[in-house]
Amino acid sequence: MDGFLFIAFPYIALILAIGVGIYRRRRRPYTYSSLSSQILENRKLFWGSVPWHYGITLILLAHLFAALFPGLAGWVLGGRIRLLVLELTGIALAFYALFGLIVLIIRRLPSNSRVRHATSYMDGILLGFFLIQVATGLGIAIFERWGSLWYLRTAVPWFWSLVKLHPEIATVTSLPGIVKLHFVLGFAIILLFPFSRLVHLVMFPLQYLWRPYQVVVWNRRGRKVTAESTEVMR
Ligand code: HEM
């Protein structure tokens, strides 16, 4: 079982994420979006989206930084005070992200709300996975102390062994269940990437920098359409 979860599953998740991601981008480019629901409800979206995005982005950047530069991360975490400050910062950010996520979930719950009608099964699955992932991450940070340090000796060698196509899972198979669940769910979220609105992560709207302004005009009955008004709608 461990062989499947820590060798086959990460490869399957990555291959599908990249393969299906490219396929969807080519075949259905206009679905490559976060499918904003801001027009349906804005207030709760603000209170949910801002904490969620700031919190989770900083946490994931920390995950990535430690995986890419384990030597530097080990040096930074080497001092007791620095380790304590960084661990507490991680926990605070996780609570911040969790607060945002809960607001985002509550926003989509009422069965008579407009946002609920615009919510797909996949949105529900994604939010559920995020909730479990943040909760297990927090659980690890609080109950399996100094995760930022042992991550360097367990998950990071495992990641690099997968990259080098020489999978080595001994460093992760003996970890507690909650940690293994967090690792496997991390790859499950990567797997969901091309099947959900997560695709918006790789969309940088750079063309907005040079695209002409879009001016939205009401098309009321009887309004005379002039060459000028059609020009601004371009
Ligand atoms: C396979 C990929 C992943 C691995 C190996 C991993 C590993 C870890 C470890 C070891 C910790 C404990 C850090 C500490 O105690 O300071 C942690 C915490 C956390 N993780 Fe992950 N993680 C992965 C993916 C993810 C993903 C995809 C998310 C969110 C979408 C996530 C969200 C969190 C959160 C919110 C925390 C608590 C905050 C913190 O202490 O950094 N993780 N993760």
Side-chain angles (χ1 to χ4, degrees):
M1 190 63 177
D2 279 343
F4 174 76
L5 292 177
F6 296 103
I7 301 176
F9 186 61
Y11 284 127
I12 293 173
L14 282 168
I15 291 168
L16 279 181
I18 297 169
V20 181
I22 293 174
Y23 175 82
R24 180 170 164 187
R25 180 82 185 99
R26 295 220 165 141
R27 299 302 294 264
R28 297 165 63 206
Y30 295 108
T31 66
Y32 236 73
S33 148
S34 64
L35 300 172
S36 171
S37 57
Q38 188 177 16
I39 198 165
L40 304 175
E41 195 284 331
N42 195 10
R43 221 176 116 76
K44 289 201 199 79
L45 177 65
F46 173 80
W47 288 104
S49 185
V50 172
W52 164 250
H53 281 97
Y54 277 107
I56 206 65
T57 305
L58 290 172
I59 287 171
L60 289 180
L61 283 177
H63 279 56
L64 192 66
F65 173 80
L68 290 179
F69 310 104
L72 188 56
W75 177 79
V76 173
L77 296 164
R80 267 196 192 179
I81 302 289
R82 289 197 298 261
L83 176 63
L84 196 62
V85 168
L86 286 170
E87 284 276 338
L88 289 176
T89 309
I91 292 175
L93 283 171
F95 274 115
Y96 189 48
L98 183 63
F99 167 77
L101 184 61
I102 290 173
V103 174
L104 290 176
I105 292 174
I106 289 174
R107 175 176 178 265
R108 288 184 182 268
L109 284 184
S111 55
N112 55 352
S113 74
R114 289 192 293 175
V115 197
R116 173 65 175 264
H117 288 297
T119 302
S120 67
Y121 282 117
M122 186 46 89
D123 293 335
I125 292 173
L126 196 61
L127 288 171
F129 270 68
F130 279 148
L131 189 62
I132 303 175
Q133 188 67 353
V134 175
T136 50
L138 249 176
I140 298 169
I142 295 171
F143 301 112
E144 304 290 343
R145 291 274 176 80
W146 319 122
S148 49
L149 264 187
W150 54 250
Y151 171 83
L152 301 175
R153 281 178 278 109
T154 54
V156 176
W158 166 56
F159 283 149
W160 282 106
S161 77
L162 292 178
V163 173
K164 291 175 188 157
L165 305 179
H166 276 289
E168 198 39 77
I169 59 173
T171 55
V172 287
T173 47
S174 54
L175 290 170
I178 185 175
V179 180
K180 287 161 87 172
L181 177 64
H182 187 79
F183 290 7
V184 173
L185 276 188
F187 280 98
I189 290 173
I190 292 176
L191 174 62
L192 288 182
F193 165 84
F195 302 101
S196 66
R197 61 176 67 211
L198 261 188
V199 286
H200 78 279
L201 273 178
V202 292
M203 286 307 290
F204 301 105
L206 289 180
Q207 71 273 27
Y208 277 60
L209 295 175
W210 57 81
R211 190 191 83 164
Y213 287 113
Q214 183 182 12
V215 180
V216 179
V217 291
W218 289 104
N219 185 15
R220 292 211 176 90
R221 199 184 289 268
R223 190 177 187 282
K224 216 172 132 194
V225 180
T226 61
E228 216 174 83
S229 62
T230 49
E231 174 62 19
V232 288
M233 285 191 286
R234 201 153 49 101

